Structure formats: C-alpha cells, structure tokens
Amino acid sequence: LSDRYTKTGVALEEPGLFPELERTGSTAAQVLPSGPEYRGQNQQELMVTWLCTARKRAVITTPYFVPDEIFVEAMTSAAHRGVEVHLVVSRHNNHRVTQLAEESFYEALLGAGVTIHRFRPRFLHAKSVTIDGAAAIIGSTNIDIRSFALNEEVSLLIYDPAVVSGLEAWHAGLFADCESPTAESWGARPWGRRLQQNLARLVDSLL
C-alpha cells in the first residue's frame, strides 16, 4: 500500500484492508519495516543495539554478509566481552564477488573470537538473529549494506524464550553440517585468495 501511494498519490481507505484481529497465542511479537523512506536504518540499528546489549549468546544467520563497519564492531566487541557470537553463512554462495567480499571480514571476526559456521550442503537463504535465548528476529533482511540502507525489508521481532529455543535447536542442526575455520587456518589461506577478497571488499557498498 505504501508503494501504491508513492506511485499514485492516492491512499486507500477501505476498512477491510485492516481488519480487527483476534488475539491468539501468547507470544509477544513486533513487526519492523525498513527502507530508504525511513529516516534511519531500522534493521541495522536494531541488530547493533541487540548485539551491544547481549550478555551470553548471539547467533546470526544470513545468506549474504557484507556489513558496515558499525555492525562488525558490534559483533567483535560482543565477542571481546565474553559473549558467544556465532555467524552462520553458506559455504557456496550464488554470487561470486559477494562471497569474496564476505570472506574479507572473516579474519577480523575470527581474531575477536566470533565462531563462523559455513553451511556445506546447499545454499542457505535463512535470515535470523537470536539473542541470549530470549529474543529473535526473523525476516527478509540480509546482513549487508544494501538491505540496511537501500532495500525495503520487514522483520518480525519475537520476545518468547520458547520460540527462541526452537530456533536455537535448528541452529544446532545447522552447525552439524558446517565447517568452522579457525583464526590460524584462515590466516594461512593463499595470498591470491586474500587479494581477491580485498579487491571485492572495495565494492562492498555496491553488493
């Protein structure tokens, strides 16, 4: 409806489009949209805030990981203060340059103590965040500059330990099918691969 209004300048006032919903279940949830028409980067600001307030554990699952500097700092600072930070990505990305740019972030993350899980069986398109077993984000947002600043995205914020527990059980299943590089093994990668990653990083804002 927002897109339609932007194009036509006509607002729809039909009551049937927004029916009164009956309350069902007991889970507290909140819808968070984001996009270039908002004053801030809603999804990025929320995730950074949650990472900065995390105390025990944070798990981030995303098919594309080309974040801005603030997001990387939030992840590494959480790991430095003892939070168990996990990043789940695909081992085989469907965009070659994006994967190389993503890999350019691994050294800093691994050096800070972040655990990186690279899912091997197939391309993983899931997008979620869980924090401290208490709250979760599920939605359309990738962890990249395009999703944060350019694309119109929507996420569901869930405040229910039972739902988060289910997501964490799913994460555990993913971990079993992942490879997890160490700081030492990743630091020993060929210089040619390192050069490709750094060159891809130069165009991260376009990815």
Side-chain angles (χ1 to χ4, degrees):
L1 289 175
S2 174
D3 288 346
R4 184 183 187 280
Y5 178 77
T6 300
K7 297 296 183 182
T8 66
V10 178
L12 293 181
E13 304 293 345
E14 298 177 23
L17 293 174
F18 303 98
E20 191 71 28
L21 300 178
E22 294 184 9
R23 177 169 179 163
T24 60
S26 58
T27 296
Q30 179 181 9
V31 174
L32 178 69
S34 67
E37 71 273 20
Y38 293 90
R39 287 182 294 179
Q41 297 182 20
N42 296 350
Q43 307 286 349
Q44 186 259 22
E45 292 173 9
L46 170 74
M47 294 182 191
V48 166
T49 298
W50 280 19
L51 284 168
C52 289
T53 57
R55 292 293 176 264
K56 297 179 180 179
R57 178 181 171 93
V59 181
I60 301 165
T61 305
T62 181
Y64 306 113
F65 183 80
V66 190
D68 55 20
E69 184 177 348
I70 294 174
F71 196 94
V72 174
E73 289 179 354
M75 291 181 68
T76 55
S77 64
H80 282 312
R81 68 175 185 270
V83 177
E84 188 181 320
V85 181
H86 298 264
L87 172 66
V88 186
V89 293
S90 286
R91 172 66 179 83
H92 304 287
N93 198 300
N94 60 345
H95 295 291
R96 173 70 172 168
V97 177
T98 301
Q99 180 170 4
L100 289 169
E102 172 186 299
E103 292 173 350
S104 71
F105 291 92
Y106 289 179
E107 191 163 352
L109 295 175
L110 292 168
V114 174
T115 302
I116 299 174
H117 306 267
R118 307 181 79 193
F119 189 68
R120 292 173 296 199
R122 59 190 175 276
F123 181 60
L124 182 67
H125 201 253
K127 306 158 190 183
S128 66
V129 177
T130 60
I131 300 290
D132 289 342
I137 304 169
I138 302 173
S140 64
T141 305
N142 300 307
I143 308 301
D144 61 19
I145 297 171
R146 180 174 293 275
S147 277
F148 288 159
L150 299 177
N151 293 347
E152 292 188 351
E153 309 284 2
V154 64
S155 292
L156 186 67
L157 285 56
I158 302 170
Y159 308 97
D160 187 335
V163 174
V164 178
S165 178
L167 275 173
E168 291 181 333
W170 176 69
H171 290 152
L174 292 180
F175 294 169
D177 286 322
C178 290
E179 62 180 43
S180 297
T182 64
E184 293 75 18
S185 67
W186 191 255
R189 68 195 184 282
W191 70 268
R193 183 75 172 184
R194 188 188 300 263
L195 177 61
Q196 291 177 327
Q197 293 161 351
N198 290 338
L199 288 174
R201 176 80 166 268
L202 293 176
V203 295
D204 60 358
S205 61
L206 304 176
L207 301 176

CSV table of all heavy atoms in Angstrom, one decimal, residues 34-70:
chain,number,residue,atom,x,y,z
A,34,SER,N,11.7,-1.5,7.2
A,34,SER,CA,12.8,-0.6,7.0
A,34,SER,C,12.9,-0.4,5.5
A,34,SER,O,12.4,-1.1,4.7
A,34,SER,CB,14.1,-1.2,7.5
A,34,SER,OG,14.5,-2.4,6.7
A,35,GLY,N,13.6,0.7,5.1
A,35,GLY,CA,13.7,1.1,3.7
A,35,GLY,C,14.2,2.5,3.6
A,35,GLY,O,14.4,3.2,4.6
A,36,PRO,N,14.5,2.9,2.4
A,36,PRO,CA,15.1,4.3,2.2
A,36,PRO,C,14.1,5.4,2.6
A,36,PRO,O,14.6,6.5,2.7
A,36,PRO,CB,15.4,4.3,0.7
A,36,PRO,CG,14.5,3.2,0.1
A,36,PRO,CD,14.4,2.2,1.1
A,37,GLU,N,12.8,5.1,2.7
A,37,GLU,CA,11.9,6.2,3.0
A,37,GLU,C,11.9,6.5,4.6
A,37,GLU,O,11.3,7.5,5.0
A,37,GLU,CB,10.5,5.9,2.6
A,37,GLU,CG,9.8,4.8,3.4
A,37,GLU,CD,10.1,3.4,2.8
A,37,GLU,OE1,11.1,3.2,2.1
A,37,GLU,OE2,9.3,2.4,3.1
A,38,TYR,N,12.6,5.6,5.3
A,38,TYR,CA,12.7,5.9,6.8
A,38,TYR,C,13.9,6.7,7.1
A,38,TYR,O,14.9,6.7,6.4
A,38,TYR,CB,12.7,4.6,7.5
A,38,TYR,CG,11.5,3.8,7.4
A,38,TYR,CD1,11.3,2.8,6.4
A,38,TYR,CD2,10.4,3.9,8.4
A,38,TYR,CE1,10.1,2.1,6.3
A,38,TYR,CE2,9.3,3.2,8.3
A,38,TYR,CZ,9.1,2.3,7.2
A,38,TYR,OH,7.9,1.6,7.1
A,39,ARG,N,13.9,7.5,8.2
A,39,ARG,CA,15.0,8.4,8.5
A,39,ARG,C,16.2,7.6,8.9
A,39,ARG,O,17.3,8.1,8.7
A,39,ARG,CB,14.5,9.3,9.6
A,39,ARG,CG,13.6,10.4,9.1
A,39,ARG,CD,13.2,11.4,10.2
A,39,ARG,NE,12.5,10.7,11.3
A,39,ARG,CZ,12.1,11.3,12.4
A,39,ARG,NH1,12.4,12.6,12.6
A,39,ARG,NH2,11.4,10.7,13.3
A,40,GLY,N,16.1,6.5,9.5
A,40,GLY,CA,17.2,5.7,10.0
A,40,GLY,C,17.2,4.3,9.3
A,40,GLY,O,16.3,3.9,8.6
A,41,GLN,N,18.3,3.6,9.6
A,41,GLN,CA,18.4,2.2,9.1
A,41,GLN,C,17.9,1.3,10.2
A,41,GLN,O,18.6,0.8,11.0
A,41,GLN,CB,19.9,1.9,8.8
A,41,GLN,CG,20.4,2.8,7.6
A,41,GLN,CD,21.9,2.4,7.3
A,41,GLN,OE1,22.4,1.3,7.6
A,41,GLN,NE2,22.6,3.3,6.7
A,42,ASN,N,16.6,1.1,10.2
A,42,ASN,CA,15.9,0.4,11.3
A,42,ASN,C,16.5,-0.9,11.6
A,42,ASN,O,16.7,-1.3,12.8
A,42,ASN,CB,14.4,0.3,10.9
A,42,ASN,CG,13.7,1.6,10.8
A,42,ASN,OD1,14.3,2.7,11.1
A,42,ASN,ND2,12.5,1.6,10.3
A,43,GLN,N,16.7,-1.8,10.6
A,43,GLN,CA,17.1,-3.1,10.8
A,43,GLN,C,18.5,-3.1,11.4
A,43,GLN,O,18.9,-3.8,12.4
A,43,GLN,CB,17.1,-4.0,9.5
A,43,GLN,CG,15.7,-4.0,8.8
A,43,GLN,CD,14.7,-4.8,9.5
A,43,GLN,OE1,15.0,-5.6,10.4
A,43,GLN,NE2,13.4,-4.7,9.1
A,44,GLN,N,19.4,-2.3,10.8
A,44,GLN,CA,20.8,-2.3,11.3
A,44,GLN,C,20.9,-1.7,12.7
A,44,GLN,O,21.6,-2.3,13.5
A,44,GLN,CB,21.6,-1.4,10.3
A,44,GLN,CG,23.1,-1.3,10.6
A,44,GLN,CD,23.5,-0.1,11.4
A,44,GLN,OE1,22.7,0.6,12.0
A,44,GLN,NE2,24.8,0.2,11.3
A,45,GLU,N,20.1,-0.7,13.0
A,45,GLU,CA,20.1,-0.1,14.3
A,45,GLU,C,19.6,-1.1,15.4
A,45,GLU,O,20.2,-1.1,16.5
A,45,GLU,CB,19.3,1.2,14.3
A,45,GLU,CG,19.9,2.3,13.5
A,45,GLU,CD,19.0,3.5,13.4
A,45,GLU,OE1,18.0,3.6,14.1
A,45,GLU,OE2,19.4,4.4,12.6
A,46,LEU,N,18.6,-1.8,15.0
A,46,LEU,CA,18.1,-2.8,16.0
A,46,LEU,C,19.1,-3.9,16.3
A,46,LEU,O,19.4,-4.2,17.4
A,46,LEU,CB,16.8,-3.4,15.4
A,46,LEU,CG,16.3,-4.6,16.2
A,46,LEU,CD1,15.7,-4.2,17.5
A,46,LEU,CD2,15.3,-5.4,15.4
A,47,MET,N,19.7,-4.5,15.2
A,47,MET,CA,20.6,-5.6,15.4
A,47,MET,C,21.9,-5.1,16.1
A,47,MET,O,22.4,-5.8,17.0
A,47,MET,CB,21.0,-6.2,14.0
A,47,MET,CG,19.8,-6.9,13.3
A,47,MET,SD,20.3,-7.6,11.8
A,47,MET,CE,18.7,-8.0,11.1
A,48,VAL,N,22.3,-3.9,15.8
A,48,VAL,CA,23.5,-3.4,16.5
A,48,VAL,C,23.2,-3.2,18.0
A,48,VAL,O,24.0,-3.5,18.9
A,48,VAL,CB,24.0,-2.1,15.9
A,48,VAL,CG1,25.0,-1.4,16.8
A,48,VAL,CG2,24.7,-2.4,14.5
A,49,THR,N,22.0,-2.7,18.3
A,49,THR,CA,21.6,-2.5,19.7
A,49,THR,C,21.5,-3.8,20.4
A,49,THR,O,22.0,-3.9,21.6
A,49,THR,CB,20.3,-1.7,19.7
A,49,THR,OG1,20.4,-0.5,19.1
A,49,THR,CG2,19.8,-1.6,21.2
A,50,TRP,N,20.9,-4.8,19.8
A,50,TRP,CA,20.8,-6.1,20.4
A,50,TRP,C,22.2,-6.7,20.7
A,50,TRP,O,22.5,-7.3,21.7
A,50,TRP,CB,20.0,-7.0,19.6
A,50,TRP,CG,18.5,-6.8,19.8
A,50,TRP,CD1,17.9,-5.6,20.3
A,50,TRP,CD2,17.4,-7.7,19.5
A,50,TRP,NE1,16.5,-5.8,20.3
A,50,TRP,CE2,16.2,-7.0,19.8
A,50,TRP,CE3,17.4,-8.9,19.0
A,50,TRP,CZ2,15.0,-7.6,19.6
A,50,TRP,CZ3,16.1,-9.5,18.8
A,50,TRP,CH2,14.9,-8.9,19.1
A,51,LEU,N,23.1,-6.6,19.7
A,51,LEU,CA,24.5,-7.1,19.9
A,51,LEU,C,25.2,-6.4,21.0
A,51,LEU,O,25.9,-7.0,21.8
A,51,LEU,CB,25.3,-7.0,18.6
A,51,LEU,CG,24.9,-8.0,17.5
A,51,LEU,CD1,25.6,-7.6,16.2
A,51,LEU,CD2,25.4,-9.4,17.9
A,52,CYS,N,25.0,-5.1,21.1
A,52,CYS,CA,25.6,-4.3,22.2
A,52,CYS,C,25.1,-4.6,23.6
A,52,CYS,O,25.8,-4.3,24.6
A,52,CYS,CB,25.5,-2.8,21.9
A,52,CYS,SG,26.5,-2.2,20.4
A,53,THR,N,23.9,-5.1,23.6
A,53,THR,CA,23.3,-5.4,24.9
A,53,THR,C,23.3,-6.9,25.3
A,53,THR,O,22.9,-7.3,26.3
A,53,THR,CB,21.8,-4.9,25.0
A,53,THR,OG1,21.1,-5.5,23.9
A,53,THR,CG2,21.8,-3.4,24.9
A,54,ALA,N,23.8,-7.7,24.3
A,54,ALA,CA,23.9,-9.2,24.5
A,54,ALA,C,24.8,-9.5,25.7
A,54,ALA,O,25.8,-8.8,25.9
A,54,ALA,CB,24.3,-9.9,23.3
A,55,ARG,N,24.5,-10.5,26.5
A,55,ARG,CA,25.3,-10.9,27.6
A,55,ARG,C,25.8,-12.3,27.5
A,55,ARG,O,26.9,-12.6,28.1
A,55,ARG,CB,24.5,-10.7,28.9
A,55,ARG,CG,24.1,-9.3,29.2
A,55,ARG,CD,25.3,-8.5,29.6
A,55,ARG,NE,25.1,-7.1,29.9
A,55,ARG,CZ,25.2,-6.1,29.0
A,55,ARG,NH1,25.6,-6.4,27.7
A,55,ARG,NH2,24.9,-4.9,29.3
A,56,LYS,N,25.2,-13.2,26.8
A,56,LYS,CA,25.6,-14.6,26.8
A,56,LYS,C,25.9,-15.1,25.4
A,56,LYS,O,26.9,-15.7,25.2
A,56,LYS,CB,24.6,-15.4,27.5
A,56,LYS,CG,24.4,-15.1,29.0
A,56,LYS,CD,23.3,-16.0,29.6
A,56,LYS,CE,23.1,-15.7,31.1
A,56,LYS,NZ,22.0,-16.5,31.7
A,57,ARG,N,24.9,-15.0,24.5
A,57,ARG,CA,25.0,-15.7,23.2
A,57,ARG,C,24.2,-14.9,22.1
A,57,ARG,O,23.1,-14.4,22.4
A,57,ARG,CB,24.4,-17.1,23.4
A,57,ARG,CG,24.4,-17.9,22.2
A,57,ARG,CD,23.8,-19.3,22.5
A,57,ARG,NE,23.5,-20.1,21.4
A,57,ARG,CZ,24.3,-21.0,20.9
A,57,ARG,NH1,25.5,-21.2,21.5
A,57,ARG,NH2,24.0,-21.8,19.8
A,58,ALA,N,24.8,-14.8,21.0
A,58,ALA,CA,24.1,-14.2,19.8
A,58,ALA,C,24.4,-15.1,18.6
A,58,ALA,O,25.6,-15.5,18.4
A,58,ALA,CB,24.6,-12.8,19.5
A,59,VAL,N,23.4,-15.5,17.8
A,59,VAL,CA,23.5,-16.3,16.6
A,59,VAL,C,22.9,-15.5,15.5
A,59,VAL,O,21.7,-15.1,15.5
A,59,VAL,CB,22.9,-17.6,16.7
A,59,VAL,CG1,23.1,-18.4,15.4
A,59,VAL,CG2,23.4,-18.4,17.9
A,60,ILE,N,23.7,-15.2,14.4
A,60,ILE,CA,23.3,-14.5,13.2
A,60,ILE,C,23.3,-15.4,12.0
A,60,ILE,O,24.4,-16.0,11.7
A,60,ILE,CB,24.2,-13.3,13.0
A,60,ILE,CG1,24.1,-12.3,14.2
A,60,ILE,CG2,23.8,-12.5,11.7
A,60,ILE,CD1,25.3,-11.3,14.2
A,61,THR,N,22.2,-15.6,11.4
A,61,THR,CA,22.2,-16.5,10.2
A,61,THR,C,21.8,-15.6,9.0
A,61,THR,O,20.8,-14.9,9.0
A,61,THR,CB,21.1,-17.6,10.3
A,61,THR,OG1,21.4,-18.3,11.5
A,61,THR,CG2,21.1,-18.5,9.2
A,62,THR,N,22.6,-15.7,7.9
A,62,THR,CA,22.3,-14.8,6.8
A,62,THR,C,23.0,-15.4,5.5
A,62,THR,O,24.1,-16.0,5.6
A,62,THR,CB,22.9,-13.4,7.0
A,62,THR,OG1,22.6,-12.6,5.9
A,62,THR,CG2,24.4,-13.4,7.2
A,63,PRO,N,22.3,-15.3,4.4
A,63,PRO,CA,22.9,-15.8,3.1
A,63,PRO,C,24.0,-14.8,2.6
A,63,PRO,O,24.9,-15.3,1.8
A,63,PRO,CB,21.7,-15.9,2.2
A,63,PRO,CG,20.8,-14.8,2.7
A,63,PRO,CD,20.9,-14.8,4.2
A,64,TYR,N,23.9,-13.6,2.9
A,64,TYR,CA,24.8,-12.6,2.4
A,64,TYR,C,25.4,-11.7,3.6
A,64,TYR,O,24.6,-11.1,4.3
A,64,TYR,CB,24.2,-11.6,1.4
A,64,TYR,CG,23.5,-12.4,0.2
A,64,TYR,CD1,22.1,-12.3,0.1
A,64,TYR,CD2,24.3,-13.1,-0.7
A,64,TYR,CE1,21.6,-13.0,-1.0
A,64,TYR,CE2,23.7,-13.8,-1.7
A,64,TYR,CZ,22.3,-13.8,-1.9
A,64,TYR,OH,21.7,-14.5,-2.9
A,65,PHE,N,26.7,-11.7,3.8
A,65,PHE,CA,27.3,-11.0,4.9
A,65,PHE,C,28.3,-10.0,4.4
A,65,PHE,O,29.5,-10.3,4.1
A,65,PHE,CB,27.9,-12.0,5.9
A,65,PHE,CG,28.5,-11.3,7.1
A,65,PHE,CD1,27.7,-11.0,8.1
A,65,PHE,CD2,29.8,-11.1,7.2
A,65,PHE,CE1,28.2,-10.4,9.3
A,65,PHE,CE2,30.4,-10.5,8.3
A,65,PHE,CZ,29.6,-10.1,9.4
A,66,VAL,N,27.8,-8.8,4.1
A,66,VAL,CA,28.7,-7.7,3.7
A,66,VAL,C,28.3,-6.5,4.5
A,66,VAL,O,27.7,-5.5,4.0
A,66,VAL,CB,28.6,-7.4,2.2
A,66,VAL,CG1,29.8,-6.4,1.7
A,66,VAL,CG2,28.7,-8.7,1.4
A,67,PRO,N,28.6,-6.5,5.8
A,67,PRO,CA,28.1,-5.4,6.7
A,67,PRO,C,28.9,-4.1,6.7
A,67,PRO,O,29.9,-4.0,6.0
A,67,PRO,CB,28.2,-6.1,8.1
A,67,PRO,CG,29.5,-6.9,7.9
A,67,PRO,CD,29.5,-7.4,6.5
A,68,ASP,N,28.3,-3.1,7.4
A,68,ASP,CA,29.1,-1.9,7.5
A,68,ASP,C,30.0,-2.0,8.8
A,68,ASP,O,30.0,-3.0,9.5
A,68,ASP,CB,28.1,-0.7,7.7
A,68,ASP,CG,27.1,-0.9,8.8
A,68,ASP,OD1,27.3,-1.7,9.7
A,68,ASP,OD2,26.1,-0.2,8.8
A,69,GLU,N,30.8,-1.0,8.9
A,69,GLU,CA,31.9,-1.1,10.0
A,69,GLU,C,31.2,-1.1,11.4
A,69,GLU,O,31.7,-1.8,12.3
A,69,GLU,CB,32.8,0.1,9.9
A,69,GLU,CG,33.9,0.2,10.9
A,69,GLU,CD,34.8,1.3,10.7
A,69,GLU,OE1,34.7,2.0,9.6
A,69,GLU,OE2,35.7,1.6,11.6
A,70,ILE,N,30.1,-0.4,11.6
A,70,ILE,CA,29.5,-0.4,12.9
A,70,ILE,C,29.0,-1.8,13.3
A,70,ILE,O,29.1,-2.2,14.4
A,70,ILE,CB,28.3,0.6,12.9
A,70,ILE,CG1,28.8,2.0,12.7
A,70,ILE,CG2,27.5,0.5,14.2
A,70,ILE,CD1,27.7,3.1,12.5
